Amino acid sequence: MSRTFSPKRLFAWHSWIGIHLGVLLLAICVSGTVAVFTPEIDEWLDPALTVEPPPAGAPKVGMGAVIRAVRQAHPLAEVTFGRREPGPHQTDVVSISYGRADSRTVHVDPYRATIVGERTGLTLKSFVRIFHKQLFLVSATVGFHGTLLVGLFALALLVAGLSGLCAFPDRWRALYRLRLHHGRRTLYSDLHRLAGSWSLIVACLLALTGIWYLGEQVGMSLDLVEHEPIAELEAPDHAGLGDRLRLLPVDDLIERAEALYPELEVRAVELPSRPGQAIGFRGPAEAVLVRDAANEIALDPFTGSVVTLRKGSARSVLDRLNHTMDPLHFGTFGGLTTRLLFLVSGLAICAGIVLGTVLYTRRMRSKARHQPFKRSLWSWSGALSSVALFVAALSGAGYLLIPTLRRPDGPQAVEAVGATHLAGCPVQLFRSAGRPDRGTLHVRFETDAIPNCTALQLATGDGEDAIALRLGLQGARGAATPELLAAAPASIRLVATTVGGHQLIAPFRPVAAEERVISAPPTIPTATRVGIALFSLLILLSAGIWLWHVRVPRRGNKAPLALGDESRSVLPSWRGALPRARASE
């Protein structure tokens, strides 16, 4: 073997990574291990979001009934997404939005189509996975996406695992040797090698998928990679449908999608945000080892015609690999068996990092006992790692607190102020009260029909004094100016641009004051807060254990870890300085 890849040099690399990057690598591995079973932990923390199947064994209702129940309870909200979970006790989840500051998930009983609860988007699962994916580091706060940092640690994990395997000549004995009566140091050494050897395959798999995520994020940062958008419709497809578009029932569209794609089991429905978009259906199909998003069919929600059909088995090699990373990284490709394997392997990786740190620092303290203090190991590794964890903690606290501070303390009053007809479709105008100088105007069409138009806006005044507010077609709302909010309903008109380029103008008429109240934004359940707090304490405890073992003693028999004249016996470096301890110890 060449000098560059000699066992001693590989052992030096292995030790350098463990000492300098160990604390953050440990935090990432602990969070990834917890993330394997966060869905089950969430259900345990919040049992109100589980349901009991009917005793007669009745089947689940269609997703259309579930979405209709949510729309009836939240007539002014934009319904964006619906997901059906496969478990018999799991609720269907529907995502709704009242605007950027108020997004919610509504949990619906899939057997009875009744709402069982509402939650914010923050759960233990989302909190843990955001920490694991990017350490809560986002471009808006630190100037870069945290995946760029976590991906580098995936590379470090790969190098540490392979260098540790190749550094020891008796690597096969590490799979079964555990000497219990040869002293603590020998026991720790055998446990470290045992944990590393048995978890090496999973560790390499996690590292390779993490490196893939790093490359994907770099590509997105450089605008080289884009996520697949919702399929767009062609405007001429609706030109012959008249002035009024009627949405087909969701259940009928699901039946048509499964008929056109027989292998597909629809579990997710992505609803269009405007008439120019299709309705997408996703779920498991014939392709193995891919996430549900790899199998998709998009239909025109007004005609039922196929817009796009993407099969996981027919995708390109690169595209299919992209959809394979999530099942490989979280161990979901083999069901409960592989998830348990990934859980045990994750615990072994975490234990291996801690045991390796204990072994190395014990060895170096014994060698540096009589050396003068010049520069502590803490200054090299602990300081920068602690700063990174501190920034991640602050970002996580902001993720929890800022949305709560932005929400109103009580229910948001929504007042119906006007009514009209556009292309034969009844329309109501609502005004929601926010701050005195800020509010939102909502336009609600009949539930199953909308005007056949490409643009929609509210306008008041004429000439230079005209004020216009462009609305989104799905949900049809927009943040209004104080002048538009103060305008009388009779002076506001609804202007629609049809697919043929014509303008339809409908003035509103005042209606009797009738308050409609949006339910108060949901709060994070106490049990979920406790779960997040316990997870945070687990991360701090793991980091504390690591930092405790690389601490620099102030006084006593054990001298500080010195990096002075004899630094080569204390800290391995990339320039070839190797620990004097043999790799086989």
Side-chain angles (χ1 to χ4, degrees), residues 16 20 23 69 92 112 120 146 149 164 202 222 262 269 302 306-308 332 335 357 398 406 462 480 493 510 524 579:
W16 192 96
H20 285 289
V23 61
D92 289 345
R112 305 166 184 88
T120 64
L149 177 63
V202 173
L222 299 177
V269 179
F302 307 105
V306 178
V307 179
T308 58
T332 58
T357 303
R406 286 180 178 175
D462 296 310
R493 59 188 181 274
I524 303 171

Side-chain angles (χ1 to χ4, degrees), residues 278-492:
I279 181 170
F281 303 99
R282 297 172 179 173
E286 79 288 352
V288 297
L289 207 60
V290 293
R291 57 190 175 192
D292 290 352
N295 310 301
E296 180 187 27
I297 182 173
L299 303 179
D300 187 321
F302 307 105
T303 65
S305 59
V306 178
V307 179
T308 58
L309 176 59
R310 303 186 183 102
K311 294 186 177 183
S313 57
R315 290 179 178 267
S316 65
V317 175
L318 187 63
D319 197 15
R320 181 159 181 170
L321 278 175
N322 187 45
H323 287 284
T324 300
M325 291 301 115
D326 281 358
L328 288 179
H329 192 76
F330 292 102
T332 58
F333 58 90
L336 181 61
T337 302
T338 52
R339 293 174 69 200
L340 287 172
L341 174 63
F342 273 55
L343 175 65
V344 174
S345 299
L347 292 173
I349 294 171
C350 296
I353 295 173
V354 174
L355 289 170
T357 303
V358 173
L359 282 171
Y360 193 82
T361 53
R362 281 176 177 268
R363 183 184 298 119
M364 292 305 102
R365 283 195 178 96
S366 66
K367 290 183 174 296
R369 183 169 298 173
H370 303 294
Q371 294 176 4
F373 174 80
K374 288 192 176 183
R375 195 175 185 182
S376 70
L377 186 61
W378 163 261
S379 66
W380 284 79
S381 58
L384 294 178
S385 301
S386 298
V387 168
L389 282 176
F390 182 70
V391 172
L394 289 180
S395 300
Y399 184 84
L400 278 172
L401 294 176
I402 291 176
T404 304
L405 296 176
R406 286 180 178 175
R407 294 192 183 109
D409 295 332
Q412 187 177 11
V414 179
E415 181 184 9
V417 296
T420 188
H421 282 77
L422 186 69
C425 179
V427 185
Q428 286 183 299
L429 175 66
F430 292 86
R431 181 169 53 200
S432 61
R435 289 168 41 183
D437 60 339
R438 184 180 304 171
T440 305
L441 289 175
H442 305 255
V443 170
R444 188 183 67 184
F445 298 102
E446 186 177 302
T447 304
D448 62 345
I450 59 175
N452 190 359
C453 59
T454 58
L456 191 69
Q457 65 179 357
L458 295 173
T460 183
D462 296 310
E464 296 180 356
D465 298 329
I467 300 172
L469 172 65
R470 186 178 178 86
L471 301 177
L473 294 177
Q474 172 74 9
R477 66 174 180 272
T481 62
E483 294 81 7
L484 194 57
L485 283 172
S491 66
I492 301 177

Side-chain angles (χ1 to χ4, degrees), residues 155-172:
L155 180 61
L157 177 63
L158 181 63
V159 174
L162 295 179
S163 61
L165 174 69
C166 299
F168 303 102
D170 55 346
R171 61 183 68 95
W172 294 111

